[in-house]
Amino acid sequence: MLTLTLDGSIVTVAMPTIQRDLGFTSAGLSWVVNAYLIAFGSLLLLAGRLGDLLGRTRMFLAGTAVFTVASLLAGAATTPALLIAARFLQGVGSAMAAAVGLGILITLFGEARERARAIAVFSFTGAAGASIGQVLGGILTDALSWHWIFFINLPIGVVALLVARRVLPADRGIGLAAGADVVGAALVTAGLMLGIYTVVKVEEYGWVSAPTLGLGAVALALLGGFVVRQATARTPLMPLRVLRSRSVAGANLVQALMVAALFSFQIIVALHLQNVLGYGAAETGLAMLPAAVVIGSVSLGVSARLNARFGERAVLLTGIVLLIGALGFLTRIPTDARYLTDVFPVMLLAAGFGLALPALTALGMSGAGEDDAGLVSGVFNTTQQIGMAIGVAVLTTLAASRTERLLDAGHRRAEALTGGYQLAFTVGTGLLVAAFAVAFLVLRPTPARSARP
């Protein structure tokens, strides 16, 4: 699971090298990330339900195998088309494995304290994966070549398959007859895929262009048809009762706002370090290492105990406050920023993600039963990937537009880039403030449990 999460960001610091090596155009280069996000985000819901029907362990093993093979193909790619196709296939495998991961944990760990620890470990993969990906991406690209950011997945995938076959319980699922909604699957997969595609193409076409409005309208129509289908089908793909849970619906909305701000934050910080401050790929990865360390330490070291003592909602709100401080600090980052005074404090405040994500995951899965744990897991992960895709598209588009206006006004390139990044950080801060408001107003307080030593 760490590898799946990590793979969404490991390419970010290697993209300039990939562009030079394979001859990508500026517009085509973004598809090295977008192809992965589109496949991952649009297939999670379907994969989660299929995991409930066919067996979550089977789906996890199959997805890990597909991801590992696709990583080999991506590392061996010699043309832009081959790399983009391999990245799409990586997204398919990631969706198959990630959609059922939480469902497996929920069914394996029934006791509250054990479940809290398991969710803390799982959440560490999501919270730290993106940061670790950027660190590894920079180091591997400079030390070996960009091909190794994909080849590194091979031994990990093989070991994961061997261990999973030994330790995960065999399950046959509840059978296709219990919910094989082919029409619903086609509607939601097509709607999500087209919707994410529309968002990531906004930077090329603009928000109010005919392609954006037309494709967006079709995507909304497909998703609307999916909702109608779920309300009327005898065996729906996603029973709408899942979203009637206040904690599940609220947690998914908070997550969408939070990851939209934070995944974009990691990408834009990396761009600022390289494009304005002149860092190399490995230097950028190492500069962001403290964030991975504090997120991992908080996720694994204290989050479960804090959730048990104070309740998930209180811990979530505290984590979001720290994250608001992190992005708020960056809204005034100068062109000649110094790492120790202008960047390093932000890396430490990223510890808020290590607090927020485990608590949010526990709240988001709180309404899952034995038969629909895979589905609720798929919904939660779908929200995460859609939030990432939308956040990257919106914030990078705003930054680019602001930079162009400043360049036209006669500002130096470094000043223009910094101004664009500051705008993106400001909008990201606003998204986190909205996430705090939703969490405070919608999510019910969770009772604190006495933590045993």
Side-chain angles (χ1 to χ4, degrees), residues 225-306:
F226 169 72
V227 173
V228 173
R229 172 70 181 179
Q230 301 316 288
T232 57
R234 183 174 62 87
T235 56
L237 174 67
M238 188 190 77
L240 296 181
R241 59 179 167 77
V242 171
L243 298 179
R244 292 175 189 158
S245 168
R246 185 168 179 167
S247 60
V248 172
N252 275 279
L253 179 55
V254 171
Q255 179 179 229
L257 293 167
M258 200 167 72
V259 300
L262 295 175
F263 188 66
S264 304
F265 146 77
Q266 290 176 328
I267 291 177
I268 294 172
V269 166
L271 290 174
H272 186 272
L273 291 174
Q274 293 190 66
N275 294 339
V276 177
L277 302 184
Y279 283 36
E283 288 178 299
T284 299
L286 292 174
M288 301 186 73
L289 180 60
V293 172
V294 297
I295 289 172
S297 300
V298 171
S299 295
L300 296 176
V302 300
S303 64
R305 283 178 288 175
L306 291 176

Side-chain angles (χ1 to χ4, degrees), residues 141-186:
T141 299
D142 277 357
L144 299 172
S145 72
W146 66 264
H147 300 276
W148 283 93
I149 66 176
F150 302 115
F151 287 149
I152 193 67
N153 295 332
L154 302 182
I156 299 174
V158 171
V159 171
L161 284 170
L162 294 175
V163 174
R165 288 179 62 87
R166 292 178 60 87
V167 303
L168 294 184
D171 60 333
R172 296 183 177 276
I174 58 179
L176 287 173
D181 180 13
V182 177
V183 175

Side-chain angles (χ1 to χ4, degrees), residues 98-117:
V100 296
L102 274 176
I104 291 174
L105 288 187
I106 295 301
T107 55
L108 282 179
F109 300 96
E111 194 271 324
R113 190 174 179 84
E114 286 186 345
R115 179 178 292 189
R117 288 176 175 173

Side-chain angles (χ1 to χ4, degrees), residues 9-35:
S9 64
I10 196 171
V11 302
T12 54
V13 297
M15 287 175 70
T17 304
I18 293 173
Q19 182 178 18
R20 291 192 299 269
D21 195 9
L22 297 186
F24 271 97
T25 64
S26 297
L29 183 64
S30 65
W31 284 99
V32 177
V33 173
N34 293 338

